[in-house]
Amino acid sequence: MRYMDKTIEELHELLVKGEVTSDELVKESLEKSYEVQEKCNAFVTILDDAKGGEVTDNLLSGIPYGVKDNYSTKGILSTGSSNTLKDYVPFFNATAIEKLNKAGAIKVNKTALDEFGMGGTGTTGHTGVQKNPWDTTRICAGSSSGSAAAVASGVYPYALGSDTGDSIRKPAAYCGIVGYKPTYGMISRYGLFPFASSLDHCGVLTRNVRDAAIVVDNMKGIDPNDMTSWDSSNINLLKSCTGEVNGKKLFYVKELCNIENYPNADQNLKVHLENFHKTIEICKSLGMEVEEVSVDRNLLNAVYSVYRVIHSAEASSNMSNLTGIIFGPRGEGSNYIEMIKDHRTKGFSPLIKRRFVIGSYVLQKENQERYFKNAQRARRLIVDKWKELYKTYDAEISPVGLGPAPKFSDLNKKYDINTTALDEHLQVGNFGGFPSITISNGFVDNLPVGICITGNCYMDENVLNIAYALENAMEYKGQIAKEVK
């Protein structure tokens, strides 16, 4: 009998009744890890010495999970999927890991990602590309690609991710599972390798909304090591999942979600948006109001550029300590400048180098006003527009991406510029620190697609409950990837 396909609550009940042991769950998870590694290349490290743990009243106790390899794990290789940290073993745990340790959760592997979380394809990490378990010729998206592939394949019920632009939510959608990033600062970022500090969120990938609530209930909380964390002790995400949504008001942006905006749309995009509008009708059948709103196209078109400028600037600052002198493999050279140059030239992928160049350029004194500060101003305009909408509506509902996961062979294909805003709009959730969750919305061409629910800051209970009600009205929760090739 397989157990890792089950929910956290089902596994806890089996453990409490003695029908399975924690050791047996860990053994199954490790065996499945090697199967998925061969198929999808989802992991940097598999913890062969992982052992079962004590089963307590905590729902997570004794249950295996995966850790994205940009979380610091004491005594365990933590590379950020970068050659610059290929041998780095931290001496401390991230706060999120400490909380899960306290809950009795059992980590069994470290999942691969785009290098330092930079990239949306799962192709830039130092251990190679991560493949989609539904179709290995396709991407998982990124950067939480390994976590998405593992959860979708049934290695365990949940894995940790991080989300700077859509790095939890889009991989979840492309792999047919749930991806949740809570309000900025609900989970401490202490021990998460920093990418862009004003955008980074810790979060989780699961196969149903209740599991996401359980995990984040255990990870959240104020932390003196993270000045952006806040007291969420009055929030109980699991209890909020009641399914009572009658009278809730949702909006969607017509410039993004209506097919007439895409005269060159391919069949996948057409079906994807058709599915989205069918789901709108399901929302209405549950007693929710859903209204179409209009957002200035200039704001929507600015999202991607604003994201690029801000995250590149913050990344180039955050990662200035990656010199090869403090830690990491030491570069060669006759002086420290040559050593740093050699370390970074050999250690970073081309994509990372480009982003550091952009970040350094926009932060130069003569360029700051035109690029970095203008990007910050545009970010504020975008966030203010969404906060204005949240005064009227409980949440936004939107499609994720342009349809199913692209093929690796199509990554360099020139896409219709009209679709950029739709493909990148989840970044608004990071601009404002808004709670945001994707759930599966069926299939296009036999491959999973997703929808996203996003609400105002600190309204996580409301956002998760809407997603929970909608998930229960459809047939896609708990699904395990079945290769369709």
Side-chain angles (χ1 to χ4, degrees):
M1 180 178 180
R2 283 193 53 80
Y3 293 100
M4 289 296 95
D5 295 358
K6 298 184 180 298
T7 69
I8 291 171
E9 290 170 297
E10 289 170 341
L11 289 171
H12 180 70
E13 183 177 356
L14 291 170
L15 286 166
V16 169
K17 290 180 177 178
E19 294 181 21
V20 68
T21 68
S22 178
D23 280 324
E24 288 172 328
L25 296 185
V26 170
K27 182 175 183 288
E28 179 185 325
S29 186
L30 288 172
E31 290 174 352
K32 187 66 177 178
S33 294
Y34 280 100
E35 292 177 24
V36 174
Q37 180 68 351
E38 184 175 348
K39 178 181 177 182
C40 300
N41 193 38
F43 311 112
V44 175
T45 304
I46 297 175
L47 304 175
D48 292 311
D49 59 350
K51 305 294 182 185
E54 180 185 2
V55 178
T56 68
D57 290 339
N58 192 295
L59 291 173
L60 298 182
S61 61
I63 296 176
Y65 75 102
V67 182
K68 188 175 179 180
D69 205 37
N70 59 347
Y71 283 79
S72 180
T73 46
K74 183 177 180 180
I76 299 171
L77 187 68
S78 303
T79 71
S81 282
S82 175
N83 276 319
T84 61
L85 294 180
K86 63 181 180 180
D87 299 317
Y88 174 59
V89 178
F91 60 88
F92 73 102
N93 282 319
T95 298
I97 301 299
E98 283 291 331
K99 285 179 172 287
L100 292 176
N101 286 346
K102 184 178 179 181
I106 311 296
K107 51 187 171 293
V108 295
N109 54 46
K110 299 292 294 288
T111 62
L113 59 144
D114 280 300
E115 186 176 9
F116 290 123
M118 294 191 217
T121 59
T123 62
T124 66
H126 77 305
T127 55
V129 305
Q130 289 74 63
K131 301 173 184 177
N132 193 308
W134 292 89
D135 178 352
T136 54
T137 69
R138 295 176 184 268
I139 69 170
C140 296
S143 63
S144 304
S145 46
S147 291
V151 172
S153 299
V155 176
Y156 27 55
Y158 70 98
L160 305 191
S162 60
D163 192 311
T164 306
D166 55 24
S167 293
I168 287 173
R169 293 161 293 158
K170 189 174 280 186
Y174 282 176
C175 291
I177 58 175
V178 171
Y180 170 43
K181 78 161 196 69
T183 297
Y184 182 78
M186 178 182 271
I187 301 173
S188 169
R189 290 178 293 110
Y190 179 71
L192 177 75
F193 296 178
F195 168 9
S197 299
S198 74
L199 303 169
D200 292 342
H201 295 63
C202 297
V204 67
L205 298 96
T206 66
R207 292 191 297 271
N208 66 80
V209 174
R210 284 179 68 87
D211 279 0
I214 291 167
V215 177
V216 174
D217 273 338
N218 278 277
M219 292 171 68
K220 68 183 179 66
I222 195 165
D223 178 11
N225 291 317
D226 180 358
M227 66 180 183
T228 64
S229 65
W230 48 278
D231 184 6
S232 55
S233 57
N234 63 330
I235 292 176
N236 189 310
L237 298 172
L238 183 59
K239 285 185 178 179
S240 74
C241 293
T242 65
E244 294 296 325
V245 292
N246 190 51
K248 297 294 184 183
K249 294 185 68 174
L250 307 182
F251 74 89
Y252 68 88
V253 178
K254 69 178 184 180
E255 286 83 3
L256 296 176
C257 301
N258 291 347
I259 192 63
E260 57 263 27
N261 296 309
Y262 309 104
N264 302 316
D266 61 18
Q267 186 62 23
N268 282 347
L269 179 55
K270 291 177 182 177
V271 176
H272 184 37
L273 292 181
E274 285 175 9
N275 283 358
F276 170 75
H277 284 282
K278 289 177 183 176
T279 302
I280 295 297
E281 297 306 311
I282 295 175
C283 293
K284 293 177 180 177
S285 73
L286 294 171
M288 291 187 275
E289 299 177 41
V290 187
E291 295 180 356
E292 178 182 271
V293 303
S294 181
V295 174
D296 187 339
R297 174 62 77 170
N298 290 319
L299 281 183
L300 297 174
N301 288 342
V303 169
Y304 182 59
S305 298
V306 168
Y307 175 69
R308 284 284 174 176
V309 170
I310 291 176
H311 86 232
S312 295
E314 294 188 13
S316 65
S317 176
N318 276 329
M319 298 183 191
S320 60
N321 64 340
L322 297 176
T323 62
I325 294 174
I326 307 171
F327 45 75
R330 184 152 299 191
E332 299 176 357
S334 59
N335 56 57
Y336 77 93
I337 294 176
E338 290 180 359
M339 292 168 67
I340 292 172
K341 181 178 179 180
D342 183 67
H343 167 77
R344 291 177 171 175
T345 300
K346 293 177 179 176
F348 292 133
S349 68
L351 182 140
I352 300 297
K353 293 174 186 175
R354 288 198 299 272
R355 296 199 181 183
F356 288 164
V357 169
I358 293 170
S360 298
Y361 180 79
V362 302
L363 286 175
Q364 286 179 339
K365 183 178 180 180
E366 59 269 31
N367 298 327
Q368 274 194 32
E369 184 68 30
R370 182 176 182 183
Y371 296 110
F372 184 62
K373 291 184 179 179
N374 269 339
Q376 290 177 311
R377 295 181 185 108
R379 175 182 182 173
R380 171 50 52 197
L381 291 173
I382 293 164
V383 170
D384 284 350
K385 177 60 182 178
W386 256 257
K387 283 189 171 289
E388 177 188 332
L389 289 165
Y390 289 138
K391 290 178 182 177
T392 303
Y393 300 96
D394 292 289
E396 176 190 11
I397 184 169
S398 60
V400 179
L402 307 180
K407 290 187 175 185
F408 290 104
S409 58
D410 289 339
L411 289 180
N412 293 322
K413 174 182 173 183
K414 187 174 181 180
Y415 284 93
D416 180 1
I417 195 171
N418 292 321
T419 64
T420 300
L422 173 60
D423 202 26
E424 306 292 342
H425 77 279
L426 295 187
Q427 293 156 7
V428 173
N430 301 81
F431 291 174
F434 303 134
S436 188
I437 185 169
T438 57
I439 63 174
S440 187
N441 192 40
F443 295 84
V444 172
D445 196 22
N446 295 317
L447 293 162
V449 294
I451 54 169
C452 190
I453 307 294
T454 305
N456 204 0
C457 292
Y458 314 115
M459 300 302 292
D460 293 71
E461 290 174 317
N462 193 43
V463 167
L464 259 67
N465 186 42
I466 291 170
Y468 174 68
L470 192 51
E471 176 188 68
N472 284 335
M474 299 189 288
E475 302 174 353
Y476 312 117
K477 70 176 178 180
Q479 58 192 9
I480 302 294
K482 300 176 179 64
E483 194 162 7
V484 297
K485 279 180 63 182

